[in-house]
Amino acid sequence: MAEGRSAGTYSGENLLFLTDEQLRQGIEAMFFAYRGFTADPDRILADLAYGRAHHRAVHFINRAPGTTVNNLLNILGVTKQSLNRVLRTLIEDGLVESRIGKIDKRERHLFLTEAGQALEQKLSDAQRARMRMAFREAGPEAVAGFRTVLESMMDREMRKAYARLKDSGS
């Protein structure tokens, strides 16, 4: 044990030691879980000729109605050109409405239309069902641990954005 540390004090590194093989298994489990998590929405999106970028945009516009294009760019971490393609399609298809800012006329605020809300609900229902089943199987301690692991994997700026979103209560 490191000098000057009591037996009851551990750093995150000493608290849990995982072998490279255990970490590889965790990485692979995450890949396969992500495939399962996205499979149901992907089927819904495919019928509309949309992809995951459309899903993410719809999700975060729903989560923060009136969000600006710049805020959405920051959350999604995509290029302006890529987001503009996605938004153009969603707007043309009547799922998203873009409104000029009241204070800053250069800003564009994004809102889901009723059709956009219905699509978001359908996509989220599929993912909530899968998450609910997995959390129920895993139990409450695993749920808390899972959130802690996910939050710990986020880059500092992402964690700040996530905290702001979480704290907004929307």
Side-chain angles (χ1 to χ4, degrees):
M1 180 163 298
E3 216 173 286
R5 280 203 181 151
S6 69
T9 306
Y10 298 98
S11 73
E13 200 172 285
N14 293 331
L15 182 62
L16 180 66
F17 174 79
L18 296 172
T19 65
D20 284 348
E21 176 61 17
Q22 290 168 315
L23 292 170
R24 184 194 57 74
Q25 290 172 5
I27 291 166
E28 288 174 359
M30 187 180 300
F31 282 132
F32 284 104
Y34 182 72
R35 279 184 61 186
F37 181 69
T38 57
D40 300 321
D42 282 351
R43 283 189 284 279
I44 295 165
L45 293 164
D47 290 341
L48 302 168
Y50 293 159
R52 291 183 185 160
H54 295 86
H55 182 190
R56 288 190 293 270
V58 166
H59 174 85
F60 285 106
I61 294 168
N62 182 68
R63 187 70 171 85
T67 191
T68 62
V69 171
N70 281 337
N71 188 47
L72 195 56
L73 276 168
N74 290 331
I75 289 171
L76 298 178
V78 297
T79 65
K80 199 171 197 174
Q81 182 180 18
S82 175
L83 181 58
N84 282 337
R85 270 194 306 269
V86 167
L87 289 176
R88 190 175 327 111
T89 305
L90 293 172
I91 291 167
E92 287 171 0
D93 292 349
L95 300 171
V96 170
E97 181 182 332
S98 174
R99 300 180 195 160
I100 296 171
K102 291 180 181 173
I103 297 170
D104 185 343
K105 303 290 185 199
R106 295 171 297 175
E107 284 185 338
R108 297 294 178 261
H109 295 267
L110 304 168
F111 298 86
L112 293 182
T113 63
E114 281 186 37
Q117 290 171 355
L119 175 61
E120 192 285 329
Q121 183 74 43
K122 190 174 181 181
L123 296 168
S124 291
D125 283 350
Q127 289 184 313
R128 272 193 292 275
R130 190 175 288 266
M131 291 287 284
R132 189 174 287 114
M133 179 194 68
F135 282 165
R136 192 174 288 130
E137 252 181 62
E141 289 173 6
V143 172
F146 178 70
R147 282 198 193 110
T148 300
V149 168
L150 291 178
E151 290 176 13
S152 296
M153 288 175 60
M154 295 175 195
D155 293 337
R156 181 180 306 211
E157 289 306 309
M158 268 298 110
R159 197 175 307 165
K160 286 179 187 175
Y162 173 70
R164 283 191 304 271
L165 194 63
K166 207 168 70 169
D167 292 343
S168 73
S170 299

